[in-house]
Amino acid sequence: MALRFVGIDPSTGGGGSPTVWVDEEKQELVIQGWNLDPARTAEVASTEWVAGHAVGVPEGETPVRVPFRLVPILREACDVAERSRLRRTDEAG
């Protein structure tokens, strides 16, 4: 199983809401969040956040909003990802 569910926004009412998974195969976090409003989208797309780095959002990427109440779930996802990485290193080693 490639995706491991870690958690969902604790205030969800049963509909779509921010969710976090760990993709152990690709070694990535998968985060479902809310779309940005037009003002934030424009800010992200027009700001040089790192000197010399391209401005804008590349094709195939999208910024999302995640509520602070999801921080504990993101921490847990990071722990799951780290354990998976260490396990893969041990198995290869």
Side-chain angles (χ1 to χ4, degrees):
M1 182 161 131
L3 286 180
R4 178 187 291 198
F5 173 79
V6 177
I8 193 166
D9 183 346
S11 72
T12 185
S17 62
T19 306
V20 180
W21 299 266
V22 171
D23 185 329
E24 293 180 333
E25 184 177 305
K26 293 188 176 188
Q27 298 186 11
E28 299 172 339
L29 297 180
V30 177
I31 300 172
Q32 174 183 315
W34 299 306
N35 293 329
L36 296 183
D37 60 77
R40 289 289 182 252
T41 300
E43 180 182 5
V44 167
S46 65
T47 303
E48 183 181 38
W49 298 101
V50 176
H53 193 276
V55 174
V57 178
E59 176 109 12
E61 295 183 12
T62 187
V64 296
R65 296 181 311 117
V66 176
F68 283 170
R69 62 185 169 266
L70 212 61
V71 168
I73 293 168
L74 288 169
R75 282 193 187 107
E76 181 181 349
C78 290
D79 290 344
V80 167
E82 183 66 11
R83 286 191 301 270
S84 175
R85 185 187 66 78
L86 291 173
R87 187 176 61 251
R88 291 174 83 112
T89 301
D90 289 345
E91 289 171 358

